[in-house]
Amino acid sequence: MPINLPTTLLRSFVAIVDTGSMLNATEQVFVTQSALSLQIKRLEDLVQQVLFSREGRRLVLTPAGTVLLDYSRRVLALHDEAIVAIGAGNFAGPVRVGMVQDFADTLFSGLLQRFAELHPDSQIYARVAGTAELLTMLQRGQLDIVIGFAGADDPAAVRIAPMKWYGSPALAEGAILPLAVLEQPCRFREAAIASLDAAGRPWRIAIETPNLSTLRAAVEAGLGVTCRTHLFIGDGASLSADTLPALPQVACIVGKANDLGMANARLAELATQVVRDL
């Protein structure tokens, strides 16, 4: 049987070459660096060839990689052309998507840009807010797709992620833990306070903000400790698991209206795929 090379793998492969590194490519293909490494490993397993070699910190194409690059570009160009051609006239109309800021900052601005390029007749409305507000808008028919956070047992979950503590280790060792939190309602705020109370650990709110970017800046400046997922800063910046009380898991969800049109259904499919690859 012939080998099938998924276009997602080919797109990631080309992105690494075009951007010069896996780290830079993550912003173009909307997956984490570890997920991107697994994709390239899978592609190498499929073609039974090593595609990159290392020269210091640089990734350099092997002869097999050079050959595959040319074919990959042609395959992807034809693929995208076909999507536009068969979708002509079918993807017009409003696409109303809501997302929490964690996804907006790290992933979905690129996804929406890509979607708009493939379906230029679609009109995109994007709302960035908390999950509770977005789900209310979905129920009222004001949004078609919602990407946010929920409990680990939520039926709309497409990926389960651990909550982790982020901040200065020195702050975590203090007698009273200074917290940096988002305004209510916030699932992470509630989880942090509940876990600290259950462990009998004294705390105080040092920073409270409605904005995730401000929260991130406050944590990086050493003004407080917070609780988020790896989308917040990255696993490398998280505190040791035994530093502070254990936290629950959280679900990444993709909520959808019942009567999605073709454009919305396509975007929901792409969003689900991206969230699963985080």
Side-chain angles (χ1 to χ4, degrees):
M1 294 182 63
I3 297 173
N4 292 315
L5 301 180
T7 54
T8 52
L9 303 186
L10 297 179
R11 202 176 299 281
S12 294
F13 170 61
V14 171
I16 293 171
V17 176
D18 288 346
T19 62
S21 72
M22 285 197 179
L23 179 60
N24 293 335
T26 59
E27 300 178 3
Q28 185 170 317
V29 295
F30 328 119
V31 298
T32 62
Q33 191 169 349
S34 59
L36 188 57
S37 296
L38 290 175
Q39 287 184 344
I40 298 304
K41 178 64 168 59
R42 183 183 171 200
L43 182 59
E44 290 179 331
D45 289 342
L46 286 172
V47 299
Q48 293 293 294
Q49 296 285 342
V50 176
L51 301 176
F52 292 102
S53 61
R54 282 200 172 273
E55 292 184 359
R57 293 186 175 182
R58 294 176 58 247
L59 286 176
V60 179
L61 284 172
T62 63
T66 301
V67 172
L68 182 61
L69 178 63
D70 178 59
Y71 284 102
S72 296
R73 294 193 191 281
R74 285 189 273 169
V75 168
L76 292 173
L78 284 173
H79 170 273
D80 293 347
E81 181 182 332
I83 292 296
V84 172
I86 65 175
N90 293 328
F91 287 89
V95 176
R96 303 174 302 172
V97 56
M99 65 197 80
V100 294
Q101 196 170 356
D102 299 70
F103 295 103
D105 286 351
T106 58
L107 298 175
F108 282 93
S109 59
L111 178 62
L112 291 177
Q113 179 183 5
R114 179 67 177 165
F115 183 83
E117 290 172 352
L118 291 176
H119 313 298
D121 292 331
S122 291
Q123 179 184 7
I124 299 174
Y125 168 79
R127 170 72 174 174
V128 177
T131 303
E133 178 182 338
L134 296 175
L135 290 177
T136 297
M137 295 180 69
L138 182 67
Q139 293 171 357
R140 292 175 177 173
Q142 298 170 316
L143 290 174
D144 302 300
I145 304 166
V146 166
I147 303 102
F149 293 116
D153 58 349
D154 194 285
V158 296
R159 179 179 172 84
I160 305 299
M163 292 186 187
K164 295 185 178 182
W165 294 104
Y166 293 89
S168 167
L171 294 179
E173 294 172 359
I176 300 178
L177 183 70
L179 287 179
V181 296
L182 292 182
E183 293 179 346
Q184 296 176 315
C186 174
R187 177 174 301 275
F188 297 95
R189 173 189 181 133
E190 295 166 0
I193 292 174
S195 68
L196 292 170
D197 285 345
R201 178 69 186 272
W203 57 270
R204 66 180 179 88
I205 292 180
I207 299 290
E208 184 177 28
T209 174
N211 185 279
L212 189 68
S213 298
T214 303
L215 181 70
R216 185 182 295 113
V219 171
E220 291 177 337
L223 301 179
V225 171
T226 198
C227 148
R228 303 297 295 183
T229 71
H230 66 286
L231 295 175
F232 179 63
I233 296 178
D235 285 337
S238 63
L239 293 171
S240 174
D242 58 357
T243 303
L244 292 170
L247 293 162
Q249 292 184 314
V250 65
C252 302
I253 64 168
V254 177
K256 296 172 282 188
N258 294 325
D259 53 348
L260 290 180
M262 291 188 67
N264 289 304
R266 175 60 174 158
L267 184 57
E269 176 187 338
L270 293 173
T272 299
Q273 179 181 339
V274 170
V275 172
R276 283 177 178 159
D277 288 339
L278 290 177

